[in-house]
Amino acid sequence: MLQPLLHDLVSTVMAPASALSGADGQIRPSGVQGLFRADRRVLSQARLLIDGFEPEAVGHAPAGPGRTRFVSLARRLGDPGPDPTVRLDRVREVSPHGMSERVEIVSTASVPVTATVTVELACDFAATDAVKSGRATDLPVPAALDGQGRLSWRSADTQVTVTGAGAQARPGDEPRLSWEISLAPRARTTLAWQLAVEDPDAAVVPATGSLEWSPPRAAAADRRITRLLDQSLADLSSLRLAEPAAPGDTFLGAGVPWFLTLFGRDSIWAARMLLPLGTELAAGTLRVLARRQGERLDRDSGEAPGKIMHELRRNAFALPQEGKRVLAAYYGTIDATPLWISLLHDAWRWGMPEEEVEALLPHLGAALGWLAEHADPDGDGFLEYIDASGRGLANQGWKDSGDSIRFHDGRLAEPPIALAEVQGYAHQAALHGAALLDAFGRPGADRWREYAAALAVRFRAAFWVDGAQGPFPALALDRDKRPVNALTSNIGHLLGTGLLTKEESAQVAALLAEPSMAEGFGLRTMSSCEEGFSPLSYHCGSIWPHDTAIVIAALAGEGFDEQAATLAEGLLAAAESFDYRLPELYGGDARHQVGRPVAYPAACRPQAWSAAAAVTIAHVALGLYPDVPAGRTLLRPLAGAPLGALTVGGLRVAGGDVEVSVAHDGTATVTGLPSGLRLVHER
């Protein structure tokens, strides 16, 4: 079975619902098109016809969070001649509980226009993982007539109802809504229909309350920055989710259509990247994951005491590439736990209220306990993973495809696998945990500083290998403790974790700037010099915006401003090509060869951490790094303002509304810092 392609579809999202259609707005009964809600396809067809013909599409555009406008023509109607005189604007709006469409028909013809407008509908209740795998074979469910202009479909736990105001409803195996319209010359009319879903067993629900972050006020010499921020934040606002038992604790669903649910790693990274806009999203994400923190050892789910989960689903779901099924609550991740610790630490530094931080300290203790007792099953001093159940993910870092961990010659590494960047996360988490323990008067901080120091020594001895451009950290260690000697973007995640010396960091930064890594529209996941490289491989040569953004922030934090700016410019160029909605990933082709990025055909869009990359770019350019508990804020913008003049207001530090402005010469100013915070300029 082949996974359906996504790159040419249009998504309209308001979590936990998302609609995917063709560029003409038609939802056809093929591939992945449809309306999905909480791991279920609740509409598999919505095809608009006029007198039995599909209108001809001429364009589409987003119309705000959860809304898309599709423009088409009915050239068989109206006046003869080259200019169209009957136009249709189909405005789709997705809500957390369904979808509605408004069809505006405008005639500029000199003669009356009469027609029959029909919407052909279908519902198959297919599971999302079955659709993703290409094996969805569910037949449409017959529709029942449920009143005037009203159709309904039912499954064991879900009901879908469609209502068309003023429409004739036809039930059965080929359900549809129909309207007879009659327009006088130069007249217009509007038709409307709505779909509602009742699904009491969904694992996730829409977030309640106001937005958890401050919408920034941005002005930039490079207008790509403001356009990317605007679209990305609109997308992020449509990805907000919560659990039914705690609707006030918001997290971000990972992406559309496959990952619109809680993902430990993805939700943590997205919240961490949005910290400059407030700590509320981080706090909600931390609490949701803390409530599901592991309590016991479970071979099937990968659960372990203190471990942060990977993925939440309504039912057991399939891994189509590997022919396996895992449980609805799945813990197959090696990195979510140290990343949770660092999110708690960073949110504290940005001003998360101390009482909220303190309430999570027992979960911090449990997460550190997992590092000490369960993350290193063979006792060699490194975090490592293996799918003990044989039913879960073979690879459990962020590059979790089955073929992502390769040697220089292209051979696949055998598990257990210890990933390079995960050792960096663990080192940073140990130091962050120690800082929190000290600050809140809890014991054990020295133990974790010693853990970090010893890990750095072990890493230096075991991971560094020689390459054509000099030494570098290997991607991983395999089951025989051999360094997996491919040059990859993973090493960029080591910067800023404290695991590397100053000299080692400089070497890593230089390698990341080599053409084999950085000649595309961002940072390649694997060097083009590796035998396993392919620009359209999921993890072995493609470019992931979030991966690039993490490395941009790490480079800037270590003072490698030129390299950070080069990668940021690559993402901005890519954003322009994708109408400022960065996809999950795209091709790693060289910029001089393709001119614009090549779409990865199965990439999700929007994707939370890809959208959050926009905030990282702006934040790095501004260079505001608060430490609220210490009473100081560091100001270190990129040297020489390589991304141009930039002003952003609405940044949040300890709840205060802060504005940072960087001039063309790199001079930076800050206004609005809360009292008690000393500003430190670093240059």
Side-chain angles (χ1 to χ4, degrees), residues 39-178:
D39 288 340
R40 185 77 55 75
R41 181 160 64 187
V42 294
L43 184 71
S44 54
Q45 178 175 253
R47 197 165 73 103
L48 178 67
L49 304 173
I50 297 187
D51 284 345
F53 295 94
E54 293 193 11
E56 297 170 279
V58 293
H60 70 275
R67 298 176 77 240
T68 305
R69 180 181 292 270
F70 302 90
V71 180
S72 57
L73 307 173
R75 293 196 295 158
R76 290 178 173 82
L77 302 177
D79 294 342
D83 291 340
T85 56
V86 179
R87 164 177 164 155
L88 291 86
D89 281 37
R90 182 178 187 177
V91 181
R92 174 172 298 146
E93 183 166 0
V94 172
S95 73
H97 301 286
M99 184 179 86
S100 64
E101 288 195 347
R102 190 176 73 254
V103 183
E104 302 166 354
I105 305 173
V106 179
S107 172
T108 58
S110 60
V111 298
V113 170
T114 61
T116 301
V117 179
T118 304
V119 178
E120 296 181 341
L121 300 164
C123 172
D124 63 1
F125 292 114
T128 299
D129 64 295
V131 178
K132 181 182 180 183
S133 70
R135 58 178 175 81
T137 57
D138 306 70
L139 295 175
V141 176
L145 188 63
D146 202 7
Q148 180 65 34
R150 186 180 176 97
L151 299 168
S152 64
W153 296 261
R154 297 175 187 271
S155 72
D157 55 3
T158 306
Q159 176 170 324
V160 176
T161 304
V162 167
T163 305
Q168 293 293 320
R170 171 179 162 180
D173 293 331
E174 297 181 355
R176 64 188 59 193
L177 299 174
S178 298

Side-chain angles (χ1 to χ4, degrees), residues 138 218 310 480 502 606:
D138 306 70
H310 174 59
D480 298 317
K502 184 177 180 180

